[in-house]
């Protein structure tokens, strides 16, 4: 992380006074160490740092005033939602103001005709569905933490979930935002329509991990809840067979509402925890959910069952009731705490690979598991190739955390090697920041940073995240114009 | 005299841009030229022609991914996808008939498609072209190679520059390699047609249909006099304007949902159904904006909240006397004006009053020189847009002027 700026720390009292002027509300500015402690990390608890101060604004005007002050006085800012992120995107800095958006917690408008809901960014993901489900609607992206994570954080991380194969990620379901820049300007991007003017700023803000601005209002699209949903459990003797089955289902033109896979260690851990009735004698378990009108679901269940038989499924069970469907899911949804029961600590990694390389990557992970001397269990979004290896370790054993991190880095390098990426849905944050050169060249990174500079020239917003090293503004702006000696003699001209 | 530079490899492309940067020579970037009149005229002495930068780098149907060079023709790509019963889910239209006289009917390249972010009727269900761009490789206005994204569906590794490039009209970089998500064709397609001449009633019918459980994948309204131009006898035979609602998926589901839609909207008017090939032909014609093809008249595209579509359309028709077609369940309105007056202030004022945006998609060059083609953003957004442009193309050598007033506040341009 960047070194704390001593001149900022020396001005802490003045900064606190200024923040109290801007946010006079009770509890709006937190300065005591005890009350700062809950903010010292997000869901990535391996990294902790007390913030300089925490501010909890309650309206857009206050956010704009805070950011304007920070811009004028060159003070760093770390935006924070519910703090459930898993890559350290909201890790505080010793010399930065953490801005918590959790007082922005109201649903502002439900527009049934436009199938759009306007909310403040602190509303939880599930809170949006709760607001509209009485009329049969829901918000599709469903990260596992949906009961707690905020929609503002979902935008920062472009969150996904089990529905994303069929219904898309956050970026495909957000229609518009109100956002405040570091200069304190309030932007409105997009709205209830499907277009915006100018460059697609909505697209780049989504997944920008709080480096471009602070979102103060969100418009999302909602969907009608499918009439029926049923799930199949399919067991295979190898992950390769399971992977082939996934490819066959999709090649057959079937896009399930959910398509998840677990390997043997994950199956055993979850079955021991929730007793979902999972088979314990298979190497790979697929969980396939089909949703839509009953007539469609019944038809597709038959087809998926037939494909599974052709792919060598040795176990097949279809949910016959809503309770049974939820029971099937309870194992998958509790996979993380289940691993927590059999290991003192674990790290959840997050990389995406081309689906057909699945067996190869799982085999590679076993080799790495032996090399690093740590166990790994796998649960993943099989439909879109998004892996979540859970690396088990004991933080009380000297060196195990470091070994677990090295193991995780090797897994992600393997993902990139086979044509995948470093993160499917958790973001880069501080966790994977130093791995970015595995995927990107220096020029690739510079172009990302140039986008950053267009929003935040002084690099005050969430520094130390995403980029392993930030180039200086001057360096990025230097133009290396190359006059070629001859006018490209090899290129056809007319 | 305009000089045309035609690189055939990414290296040659970089060399050309490097020369242009060094000599501060503006370049007009074209593929097949099918959308050359979309946007403002570019003031450039040199044309950078990408039509030789072609070829499929990989296509993996089971992975639903295809990577191609930017100059590859859409006709070739659609053919390859069809062979595997796959498609671009956002079903882009072919615009030569709409925009470019003298260009072959099915001209158009993947680079031009992404640069203009063109999406067809299924936009309402599956997103725009930009949602299907997984990654790209490009040369920026700094003559530097860079890439973003990748080839997998789920990716939050760094900023999503793919979104930035889609719809940037070639003003930030020149993409040479484009990796797209593709999708299987649905087992069945049917279209429910409901007789309806009134555009406000049509708008509310589409709103009702989209709010139902029937997963409508396209919804349009075609006026009586435009229906004839679609060239489909079964549609013309209805004899009125029509609300068209498409349902796709497994056969039993499609039949069930069509029936449900006909019941839901029985109060609007008599209904009819298009099956399979007729359904496909109908929606291709809507994507291609066939009723307004042929280069006659000025053409606006107004985009706003879908439920306001009927009201916006009615007001536009009333106040301009133009012809209307509604797509995207009312979120996209095509307005053709018969005369030579773009009526820009009137169209834009109506659009803005409904929180919509208006783009002048087709007009003679002299009118495009006088009227801002794109909808202007407010000052703060315009500043960010301008900074992005400056950071990616500091000398302004890529398609200068193409997006014109888009990055400046209206009235201050």
């Amino acid at each position: 992380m960047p070194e704390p700026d001593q001149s900022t720390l020396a001005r802490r009292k003045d900064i606190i006074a200024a923040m109290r002027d801007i946010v006079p509300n009770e509890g709006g500015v937190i300065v005591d160490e005890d009350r700062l402690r809950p903010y010292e990390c997000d869901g990535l608890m391996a990294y902790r740092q007390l913030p300089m101060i925490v501010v909890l604004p309650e309206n857009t005007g206050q956010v704009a005033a805070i950011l304007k002050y920070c811009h004028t006085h060159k003070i760093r800012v770390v935006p924070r939602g519910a703090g459930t992120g898993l890559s350290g995107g909201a890790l505080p800095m010793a010399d930065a103001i953490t801005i918590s958006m959790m007082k922005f917690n109201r649903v502002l408008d439900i527009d049934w005709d436009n199938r759009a809901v306007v909310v403040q960014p602190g509303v939880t993901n599930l809170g949006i569905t709760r607001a509209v489900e009485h009329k049969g609607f829901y918000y599709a992206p469903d990260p596992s933490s949906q009961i707690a994570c905020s929609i503002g954080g979902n935008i920062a991380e472009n969150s996904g979930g089990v529905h994303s194969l069929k219904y898309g990620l956050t970026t495909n379901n957000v229609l518009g935002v109100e956002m405040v820049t570091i200069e304190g300007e309030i932007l409105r991007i997009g709205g209830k329509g499907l277009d915006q003017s100018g460059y697609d700023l909505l697209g780049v803000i989504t997944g920008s991990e709080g480096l471009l601005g602070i979102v103060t209002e969100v418009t999302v699209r909602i969907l009608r809840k499918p009439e029926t949903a049923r799930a199949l459990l399919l067991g295979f003797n190898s992950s390769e067979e399971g992977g082939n089955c996934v490819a066959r289902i999709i090649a057959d033109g079937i896009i399930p509402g959910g398509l998840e896979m677990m390997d043997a260690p994950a199956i055993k851990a979850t079955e021991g925890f929730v007793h979902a009735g999972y088979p314990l004698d298979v190497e790979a378990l697929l969980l396939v959910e089909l949703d839509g009108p009953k007539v469609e679901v019944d038809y597709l269940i038959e087809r998926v069952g037939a494909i599974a038989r052709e792919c060598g499924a040795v176990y097949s069970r279809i949910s016959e009731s809503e309770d049974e469907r939820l029971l099937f899911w309870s194992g998958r949804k509790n996979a993380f705490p289940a691993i927590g029961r059999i290991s003192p600590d674990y790290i959840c990694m997050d990389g995406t690979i081309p689906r057909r390389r699945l067996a190869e990557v799982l085999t590679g992970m076993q080799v790495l598991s032996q090399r690093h001397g740590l166990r790994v269990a796998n649960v993943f979004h099989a439909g879109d190739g998004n892996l979540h290896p859970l690396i088990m370790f004991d933080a009380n054993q000297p060196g195990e955390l470091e070994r677990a991190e090295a193991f995780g880095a090797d897994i992600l390098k393997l993902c990139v090697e086979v044509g995948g990426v470093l993160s499917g849905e958790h973001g880069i944050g501080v966790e994977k920041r130093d791995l970015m050169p595995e995927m990107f060249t220096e020029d690739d990174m510079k172009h990302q940073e140039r986008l950053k500079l267009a929003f935040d020239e002084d690099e005050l917003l969430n520094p130390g995240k995403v980029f392993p090293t930030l180039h200086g503004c001057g360096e990025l702006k230097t133009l290396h114009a190359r006059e070629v000696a001859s006018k490209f003699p090899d290129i056809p001209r007319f | 005299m305009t000089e045309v530079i035609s690189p055939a490899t990414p290296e040659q492309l970089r060399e050309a841009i490097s020369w242009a940067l060094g000599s501060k020579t503006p370049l007009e970037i074209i593929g097949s030229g099918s959308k050359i009149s979309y946007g403002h005229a570019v003031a450039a002495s040199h044309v950078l022609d990408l039509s030789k930068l072609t070829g499929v780098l990989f296509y993996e149907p089971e992975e639903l991914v295809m990577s191609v060079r930017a100059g590859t023709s859409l006709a070739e790509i659609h053919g390859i996808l069809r062979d595997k019963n796959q498609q671009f889910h956002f079903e882009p239209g072919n615009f030569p008939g709409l925009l470019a006289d003298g260009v072959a009917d099915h001209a158009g390249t993947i680079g031009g498609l992404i640069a203009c972010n063109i999406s067809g009727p299924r936009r309402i269900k599956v997103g725009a072209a930009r949602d299907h761009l997984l990654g790209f490789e490009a040369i920026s206005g700094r003559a530097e190679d860079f890439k973003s994204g990748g080839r997998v569906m789920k990716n939050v590794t760094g900023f999503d520059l793919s979104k930035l490039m889609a719809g940037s009209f070639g003003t930030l970089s020149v993409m040479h390699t484009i990796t797209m998500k593709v999708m299987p064709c649905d087992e069945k397609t049917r279209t429910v047609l409901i007789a309806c001449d009134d555009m406000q009633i049509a708008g509310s019918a589409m709103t009702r249909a989209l709010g139902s459980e029937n997963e409508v994948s396209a919804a349009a309204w075609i006026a009586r006099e435009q229906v004839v131009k679609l060239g489909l006898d079964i549609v013309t035979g209805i004899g009125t304007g029509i609300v068209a609602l498409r349902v796709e998926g497994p056969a039993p589901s499609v039949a069930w949902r069509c029936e449900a839609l006909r019941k839901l909207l029985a109060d609007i008017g008599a209904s009819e159904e298009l099956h399979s090939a007729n359904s496909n032909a109908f929606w291709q014609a809507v994507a291609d904006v066939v009723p307004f093809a042929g280069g006659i008249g000025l053409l606006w595209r107004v985009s706003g909240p879908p439920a306001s579509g009927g009201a916006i359309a009615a007001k536009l028709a009333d106040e301009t006397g133009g012809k209307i077609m509604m797509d995207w369940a009312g979120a996209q309105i095509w307005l053709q004006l018969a005369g030579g007056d773009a009526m820009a202030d009137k169209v834009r004022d109506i659009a803005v009053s409904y929180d919509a945006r208006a783009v002048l998609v087709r007009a003679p060059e002299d009118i495009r020189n006088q009227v801002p083609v794109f909808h202007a953003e407010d000052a703060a957004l315009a500043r960010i847009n301008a900074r992005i442009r400056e950071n990616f193309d500091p000398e302004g050598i890529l398609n200068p002027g193409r997006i014109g007033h888009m990055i400046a506040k209206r009235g201050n341009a």
Side-chain angles (χ1 to χ4, degrees):
Chain A
M1 295 293 282
E3 285 296 309
D5 182 75
Q6 294 304 320
S7 73
T8 302
L9 293 174
R11 288 179 285 157
R12 184 169 184 262
K13 274 189 181 169
D14 294 341
I15 295 167
I16 290 169
M19 290 302 108
R20 284 188 168 140
D21 279 347
I22 295 169
V23 185
N25 327 55
E26 179 72 26
V29 180
I30 297 173
V31 299
D32 300 332
E33 186 175 330
D34 286 352
R35 295 184 58 222
L36 288 173
R37 189 67 62 191
Y39 295 91
E40 69 179 351
C41 66
D42 59 11
L44 182 68
M45 290 179 280
Y47 299 93
R48 291 168 193 269
Q49 168 64 54
L50 275 186
M52 179 172 69
I53 56 175
V54 173
V55 184
L56 291 96
E58 292 187 11
N59 57 56
T60 303
Q62 288 179 349
V63 175
I66 296 166
L67 292 182
K68 196 168 186 177
Y69 176 89
C70 291
H71 182 250
T72 303
H73 297 276
K74 306 299 174 227
I75 297 163
R76 292 162 169 167
V77 177
V78 177
R80 180 185 169 100
T84 58
L86 292 168
S87 57
L91 180 70
M93 300 176 73
D95 62 346
I97 295 173
T98 287
I99 299 184
S100 167
M101 296 301 289
M102 292 315 285
K103 289 197 172 177
F104 282 69
N105 55 10
R106 287 185 299 131
V107 175
L108 301 174
D109 176 33
I110 301 174
D111 184 340
W112 303 105
D113 282 348
N114 282 311
R115 301 167 300 283
V117 176
V118 183
V119 297
Q120 292 186 315
V123 171
T124 62
N125 173 292
L126 197 58
I128 300 174
T129 291
R130 292 280 182 260
V132 298
E133 62 189 355
H134 63 286
K135 287 205 179 181
F137 285 84
Y138 77 117
Y139 175 62
D142 56 345
S144 296
S145 57
Q146 66 182 149
I147 194 166
C149 64
S150 69
I151 187 69
N154 287 179
I155 288 174
E157 303 298 335
N158 190 17
S159 303
V162 299
H163 274 123
S164 57
L165 175 66
K166 184 170 179 181
Y167 298 104
L169 300 156
T170 302
T171 191
N172 312 112
N173 289 277
V174 172
L175 296 168
V177 294
E178 177 190 78
M179 190 187 89
V180 184
T181 68
I182 187 65
E183 291 163 43
E185 289 199 294
I186 299 166
L187 309 178
R188 293 200 76 88
I189 307 169
K192 290 177 182 172
L194 300 176
D195 284 327
Q196 54 174 307
S197 305
Y199 298 131
D200 185 359
L201 302 187
L202 188 62
V204 292
I205 284 157
T206 311
S208 64
E209 305 199 28
L211 269 72
L212 303 182
I214 295 185
V215 169
T216 48
E217 188 184 292
V218 184
T219 304
V220 297
R221 70 170 184 153
I222 51 171
L223 302 176
R224 275 303 288 249
K225 197 174 170 198
E227 182 196 47
T228 310
R230 291 177 75 191
L232 289 102
L233 280 179
L234 301 168
F236 297 88
N237 282 331
S238 72
S239 55
E240 193 164 11
E241 286 177 338
N244 288 341
C245 185
V246 169
R248 276 284 315 277
I249 290 169
I250 289 170
D252 228 49
I254 301 168
I255 306 295
L259 183 45
E260 302 286 300
M261 192 161 159
M262 288 188 271
D263 68 3
I267 298 165
K268 288 186 178 74
T270 53
E271 180 58 17
F273 183 41
V274 298
H275 311 294
Y278 291 169
L280 296 172
D281 56 350
V282 297
E283 289 299 312
L285 187 66
L286 275 187
L287 182 50
V288 188
E289 178 156 301
L290 298 154
D291 59 6
K294 184 176 179 304
V295 63
E296 175 175 330
V297 173
D298 290 347
Y299 174 79
L300 291 180
I301 286 268
E302 288 295 322
R303 277 182 54 190
V304 169
I307 291 168
R309 283 192 293 280
E310 287 167 25
C311 292
V314 293
Y315 178 89
S316 176
R317 198 170 138 206
I318 301 167
S319 68
E320 298 298 339
S321 67
E322 184 63 3
D323 284 348
E324 194 173 19
R325 182 183 75 86
L326 295 174
L327 183 66
F328 286 5
W329 276 108
S330 66
R332 169 63 183 89
K333 296 219 167 188
N334 285 294
F336 292 8
I339 295 295
R341 282 178 74 242
I342 62 170
S343 174
D345 300 284
Y346 67 88
I347 298 179
C348 174
M349 300 307 296
D350 163 47
T352 307
I353 58 165
R355 281 185 301 262
R356 67 191 172 86
R357 310 295 292 268
L358 180 64
E360 182 185 341
V361 170
L362 290 178
T363 304
M365 261 191 238
Q366 287 313 314
V367 172
L368 291 170
S369 170
Q370 285 168 9
R371 187 184 303 163
H372 290 279
L374 294 171
R375 292 179 296 163
V376 63
N378 264 291
V379 295
F380 44 90
H381 308 300
D384 44 35
N386 185 196
L387 307 179
H388 288 315
L390 297 157
I391 299 169
M392 292 170 258
F393 69 103
D394 182 352
N396 288 323
Q397 299 301 316
E400 280 213 1
L401 171 62
E402 290 73 20
R403 269 165 45 213
E405 287 182 325
F407 185 4
D410 282 347
I411 290 173
L412 294 179
K413 286 176 190 169
L414 179 59
C415 290
V416 173
E417 236 174 78
V418 301
V421 297
L422 294 169
S423 177
E425 58 183 5
H426 294 174
I428 299 301
V430 294
E431 184 196 28
K432 299 171 195 161
R433 180 189 59 194
D434 296 337
L435 292 172
M436 287 287 272
E438 295 290 326
M439 251 185 85
F440 296 116
T441 66
E442 191 169 335
D443 278 346
D444 295 340
M445 295 301 299
K446 280 183 177 173
H447 281 84
Q448 295 202 31
E449 289 178 54
R450 287 184 179 115
L451 174 68
K452 160 80 171 169
L453 283 186
F455 285 86
D456 176 21
E457 197 164 45
D458 298 320
E459 295 159 13
L460 296 171
L461 269 165
N462 221 6
K465 319 290 166 60
V466 182
F467 299 108
T469 52
L470 274 167
H471 295 83
C473 177
E475 187 189 348
L476 277 172
K477 289 210 158 178
T478 303
L479 192 57
H480 301 286
R482 285 163 285 187
E483 180 91 52
V484 289
S486 61
K487 194 177 170 187
F488 39 83
D490 298 335
I491 305 176
R493 282 180 282 159
F494 304 96
Chain B
M1 182 185 155
T2 303
E3 188 169 354
V4 179
I5 308 162
S6 298
T9 65
E11 293 71 29
Q12 289 184 346
L13 175 66
R14 185 181 58 249
E15 201 180 337
I17 294 175
S18 185
W19 167 79
L21 178 64
S23 59
K24 298 188 179 177
T25 304
L27 299 171
E28 178 168 23
I29 303 151
I30 67 164
S32 68
S34 68
K35 291 176 276 294
I36 193 119
S37 62
Y38 189 6
H40 292 281
V42 173
S45 58
H46 287 62
V47 166
L48 186 60
D49 169 13
L50 302 185
S51 62
K52 289 191 165 48
L53 200 58
T54 60
V56 176
L57 301 179
F58 62 83
Y59 170 38
E60 296 171 8
E62 73 284 2
E63 291 282 334
L64 307 177
V65 63
M66 172 185 261
S67 188
V68 294
R69 293 287 188 218
T72 310
S73 79
L74 289 171
E76 181 186 347
I77 291 171
H78 289 322
I80 293 167
L81 291 173
R82 240 188 334 266
D83 285 346
K84 295 289 181 186
N85 199 32
Q86 294 192 337
Q87 60 181 331
F88 286 143
H89 224 193
F90 57 97
E91 61 179 349
N94 299 305
F95 279 8
L98 200 68
L99 297 176
D101 286 339
V103 177
D105 269 0
H106 291 287
T109 62
I110 184 72
L113 169 72
I114 295 299
C116 300
N117 192 29
I118 289 173
S119 315
R122 209 182 279 109
R123 166 76 177 92
I124 56 172
K125 187 170 181 217
V126 303
R130 63 96 144 169
D131 294 288
H132 299 257
L133 174 62
L134 297 176
F136 70 87
E137 293 174 47
I139 314 292
S140 71
R142 294 170 171 271
E144 291 172 345
D145 288 272
F146 75 110
K147 66 177 180 300
S148 184
R151 48 161 295 167
V152 293
M153 310 289 157
K154 221 166 166 189
N155 178 6
V156 291
T157 313
F159 294 149
D160 191 354
L161 297 186
S162 297
K163 298 287 190 298
L164 191 63
M165 294 304 143
S168 64
F169 284 81
T171 59
L172 299 175
S173 75
V174 182
M175 290 181 281
H176 57 75
T177 303
I178 288 172
T179 303
M180 300 292 297
K181 176 163 95 172
V182 299
M183 291 295 276
C185 294
D186 284 285
E187 186 182 316
K188 284 283 176 202
T189 170
R190 281 196 198 178
T191 298
V192 172
L193 302 174
I194 300 161
C196 179
D197 279 320
D198 184 300
M199 55 188 93
Q200 298 231 43
I201 293 172
S204 64
M206 290 191 285
T207 296
R208 264 201 281 164
L210 266 290
S212 75
E213 295 162 335
N214 299 303
E215 287 190 63
V216 172
S217 73
W221 176 76
I222 322 273
R224 182 187 297 235
E225 62 191 292
Q226 320 302 340
V227 164
V228 182
K229 297 179 183 169
L230 296 173
L232 282 164
D233 291 344
I234 189 169
V235 185
T236 310
I238 294 174
T240 66
I242 50 167
V243 171
L245 304 165
R246 182 175 60 189
V247 175
E248 297 170 295
S253 172
V254 168
W256 187 89
R257 286 184 282 151
C258 282
E259 188 56 33
L261 280 170
R262 292 176 82 159
K263 276 186 196 156
L264 178 74
L265 299 174
D267 59 317
I268 303 292
S271 60
E272 179 62 80
E273 274 182 29
L274 297 178
H275 291 200
S276 308
N278 280 332
S279 178
N280 285 332
F282 177 88
W283 290 105
Q284 186 63 56
V286 173
D288 295 351
V289 203
V290 161
F292 297 145
I296 303 159
L298 284 77
L299 189 66
W300 284 92
R301 178 176 166 274
V302 177
S303 172
S308 304
I312 300 173
K315 198 164 175 72
L316 284 170
D318 190 42
E319 296 200 12
T320 68
K323 309 295 183 197
I324 296 280
M325 181 173 111
M326 278 192 277
D327 194 4
W328 298 0
Q332 174 169 265
I333 297 162
W334 296 97
L335 167 70
Q336 181 177 258
L337 301 176
D341 181 359
M343 297 195 214
D345 287 341
K346 191 169 281 180
V347 172
R348 288 215 154 95
D349 286 347
I350 292 169
V352 168
S353 69
Y354 287 94
D355 198 20
R357 296 161 173 82
V359 175
L360 182 57
V361 172
R362 180 178 68 201
E365 191 172 327
D366 59 329
I367 292 179
R368 284 184 282 127
N369 284 339
Q370 294 161 20
V371 175
V373 166
F374 297 98
H375 189 96
E377 282 296 352
D378 70 31
L381 274 175
R383 271 196 294 280
I384 301 262
N385 276 307
R387 283 185 212 153
I388 292 172
R389 163 101 165 128
E390 285 160 16
N391 287 352
F392 279 75
D393 179 19
E395 294 292 347
I397 56 168
L398 303 179
N399 268 350
R402 183 78 189 261
I403 53 178
H405 303 265
M406 186 165 77
I407 58 170
K409 185 172 171 60
R410 185 180 167 199
N412 292 345

